[in-house]
């Protein structure tokens, strides 16, 4: 950790910052104040000229906007034509740097794939694309093809680059809150060896989920975010911070921002356990059954009676989609969540899945129409293999407090 910097004001400048992970990251990098400076485009100039700050990180859409306000630039910022770190020097002038180069270099190192001489597609032509290209060129990737919406290499003629071996997404496609979409169809690229998505929220974008399904090595942008923040913290504090801290901080952010989704048979205690776990961890709690009832304006037995199970399952999938894209929540699901294959992808994008296992003989059926209709044994025969295959962790249900403690132990919380 960097030394304490008393009386100094650092932070992040951007347009929409409510879901930024940067404050948590910088809290682990140094003992200094770090705030979010959310500014509309018309307010940026005034803030840079008279704002009370000693250093800033800068995020989209202002990495180029701040350039004219910097009295001096680092070689990296000048070459890349964008600034993501500003330091106010002792004479009051602003020095602009770009630590994204360091961040993406670190990300490539963590991926562990040799990109030298590999055909690489860079999706997007914005500021992040320029930085990524510079790092790829420094690592001898060749050729490097930039895919844009209107350039000669675009999303309509991707098939002519089906031999690409490395794919890097620098666009915001798939980023929270607009999750579930991918900029490309990965199945086109049969030679692809690695996929990098600089998006980090959700942890697994649709592109990264596709990569996992195809057995392709992949990584999201969280390590890049932490690595560039580490370099920025060095500029803020004028102190050296070991690269060794990056992996640890990344792991902590991953742990704290992943949702915990509880699955299991009807009556296994998901709602009760989930509420207790959320209270223990200080996290928001959501119950998909409760969300369905609120949306439909009637009870689940009434939904099933009036509209049928297919309609109920559609409501269930929508409820899951709405909450599973959030970060750091505890989510209790209905027992039949696993009957719809698309729900697994919704869970995988940003959650650790915990199966609450309970003896079928101990499962109540009162108020549970499907348990009464099909019988617990029949439901269990169909669903238990799905619970086991979907879950990351299995916890045997005992008392509520004991079950919560077991989940915390398994997830190292």
């Amino acid at each position: 950790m960097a030394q304490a910097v008393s009386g100094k004001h650092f932070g992040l400048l951007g347009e929409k910052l409510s879901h930024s992970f940067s404050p948590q990251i910088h809290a682990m990098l140094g003992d200094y104040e770090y705030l979010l400076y959310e500014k509309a485009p018309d307010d940026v100039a005034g803030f840079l000229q008279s704002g009370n700050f000693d250093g800033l990180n800068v995020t989209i859409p202002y990495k180029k906007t701040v350039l004219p306000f910097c009295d001096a630039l680092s070689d990296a910022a000048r070459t890349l034509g964008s600034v993501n770190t500003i330091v106010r020097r002792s004479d009051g002038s602003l020095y602009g740097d770009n630590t994204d180069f360091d961040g993406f270099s670190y990300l490539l190192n963590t991926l562990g794939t040799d990109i030298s001489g590999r055909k690489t597609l860079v999706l997007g032509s914005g500021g992040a694309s320029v930085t990524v290209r510079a790092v790829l060129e420094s690592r001898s990737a060749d050729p490097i093809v930039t895919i844009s919406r209107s350039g000669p290499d675009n999303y309509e003629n991707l098939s002519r680059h089906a031999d690409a071996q490395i794919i890097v997404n620098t666009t915001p496609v798939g980023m929270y809150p607009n999750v579930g979409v991918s900029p490309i169809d990965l199945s086109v690229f049969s030679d692809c060896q690695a996929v990098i998505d600089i998006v980090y929220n959700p942890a697994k974008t649709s592109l990264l989920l596709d990569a996992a399904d195809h057995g392709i090595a992949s990584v999201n942008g969280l390590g890049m975010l932490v690595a560039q923040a580490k370099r920025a913290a060095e500029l803020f504090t004028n102190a050296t911070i070991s690269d060794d801290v990056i992996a640890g901080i990344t792991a902590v952010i991953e742990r704290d921002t992943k949702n915990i989704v509880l699955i299991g048979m009807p009556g296994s205690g998901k709602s009760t356990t989930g509420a207790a776990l959320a209270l223990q961890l200080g996290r928001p709690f959501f119950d998909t059954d409760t969300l369905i009832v609120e949306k439909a304006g009637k009870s689940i037995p009434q939904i099933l009676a009036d509209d049928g199970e297919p309609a109920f399952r559609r409501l269930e999938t929508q409820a899951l989609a709405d909450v599973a894209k959030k970060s750091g929540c505890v989510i209790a699901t209905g027992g039949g969540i696993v009957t719809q294959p698309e729900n697994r992808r919704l869970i995988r994008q940003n959650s650790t899945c915990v199966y609450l296992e309970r003896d079928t003989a101990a499962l109540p059926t009162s108020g549970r129409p499907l348990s009464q209709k099909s019988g617990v044994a029949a439901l269990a025969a169909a669903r238990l293999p799905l619970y086991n295959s979907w879950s990351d962790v299995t916890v045997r249900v005992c008392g509520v407090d004991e079950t919560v403690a077991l989940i915390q132990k398994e997830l190292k919380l």
Side-chain angles (χ1 to χ4, degrees), residues 205-218:
T205 60
S206 186
L207 177 63
L208 294 181
L209 288 171
D210 289 343
D213 290 342
H214 285 84
I216 300 171
S218 63

Side-chain angles (χ1 to χ4, degrees), residues 163-241:
D163 58 340
Q165 296 162 292
I166 311 293
I167 296 174
V168 185
N169 179 43
T170 70
T171 78
V173 176
M175 183 171 69
Y176 180 90
N178 301 311
V179 302
V181 292
S182 176
I184 60 171
D185 178 1
L186 200 56
S187 66
V188 172
F189 304 95
S190 58
D191 295 330
C192 186
Q193 300 171 5
V195 173
I196 303 168
D197 196 333
I198 67 170
V199 171
Y200 54 84
N201 185 12
K204 293 181 180 178
T205 60
S206 186
L207 177 63
L208 294 181
L209 288 171
D210 289 343
D213 290 342
H214 285 84
I216 300 171
S218 63
V219 65
N220 70 15
L222 184 57
M224 177 180 177
L225 179 70
V226 176
Q228 68 80 25
K230 192 275 297 188
R231 177 60 188 139
E234 292 180 328
L235 295 171
F236 292 160
T237 63
N238 196 29
T240 300
I241 304 173

